[in-house]
Amino acid sequence: MAEKDITEKLLEDYPDVFADIVNVLIYNGKDTVNADDLEMSGTLSQYKAANTIHGQDRDVAKYWTKGQVRIGLLGLENQTSRDPDIALRVIGYDGAAYHDELKQGDARYPVVTLVLYFGTDHRWGQKSRSLYSVVGAPDEELGHYVHDYKANVFEIAWLDDETVAKFKSDFRIVADYFVQMRKNHKYIPSVQEMKHVEDVLNLLAAVSGDQRFQITQNEPEERKISKMEDWLTKALEKAAEKGMEKGMEDGLDKGMAGRLIKCVDSLMKNEGYSKERACSVLDSTVDEYEKAKNLLDETAVVI
């Protein structure tokens, strides 16, 4: 969980990505927030409970300014699973920010927190986003005095195609990946150029668990690959090469055949590749693929 949290923060902390997320989710794609108008904000705040000082840390937060005027404080919170207490958490973050305004003198500006939910199996649902869902709805009389604080949850995997197309930064690649995986359980790579290559790949590797996106730290040339399609092609070639090398070391002809079959079948099933293209990506041929299948009898296990 810590790895996921860190990688999400790294990508979203870039001003161009942060502004893009806000512009699409709040302003329907209009270029309202300029990356140059964003300033760093501290993410750590403190509160006192049971006579003890506790810390609470936002994921990403930035001040939105125009010249010397501070328009607001914008925050992003990332979730890979549903949190029934999300409203209480957001109240804590926003309340601490407003308390800081009191200490700053005359500065007064709104605080807005967006919760980005990356789950693909289940929707978040409306009932678990509000204060009432945590403490229960008060009776009619008390309800006049208890405001139902609601978290602004955006389900990334359930964004429609029109909304995804409005993203201009690398976050478009991220959103497209989660939408495709939710709809089709497979991913056809985007042709969009990546600006923050390492952070996009690390985020997808951590959140999805798909090691095809994992960067090898001792191969700096990988960071120069700017298209997802090119990256996945290279990753699959590396995986196939590694599997073949291991098979040769162990002298396992059937193991080599099994790995080739598994890689080709995976490309055809999960990526929509033709048999010819899948074999070509793996530096093999359809003839070699068919020979590998013939080598394995019906009881062979493909590893």
Side-chain angles (χ1 to χ4, degrees), residues 131-132 136-149:
L131 178 63
Y132 281 5
D139 58 45
E140 183 176 354
E141 289 78 9
L142 190 60
H144 288 294
Y145 303 94
V146 179
H147 301 291
D148 189 12
Y149 201 93

Side-chain angles (χ1 to χ4, degrees), residues 1 3 5 23 29 33 37 96 101 138 141 151 155 160-161 166 178 187 198-199 212 237-238 249 273 290 299:
M1 185 62 70
E3 181 186 4
D5 200 36
N23 283 332
V33 179
D37 294 331
E101 291 185 27
E141 289 78 9
E155 301 168 308
D160 57 49
D161 294 338
K166 292 176 182 177
F178 283 99
Y187 175 54
E198 185 171 0
D199 295 300
R212 291 179 302 171
E237 289 174 346
K238 287 170 58 182
E249 291 171 1
Y273 286 8
E290 296 297 340
T299 61

Side-chain angles (χ1 to χ4, degrees), residues 6 10 14 75 90 119 122 130 163 178 190 222 225 235 265 273 302:
I6 291 171
L10 287 175
Y14 288 107
V90 173
H122 302 285
S130 69
T163 300
F178 283 99
S190 167
E222 294 180 353
I225 299 175
D265 289 350
Y273 286 8
V302 178

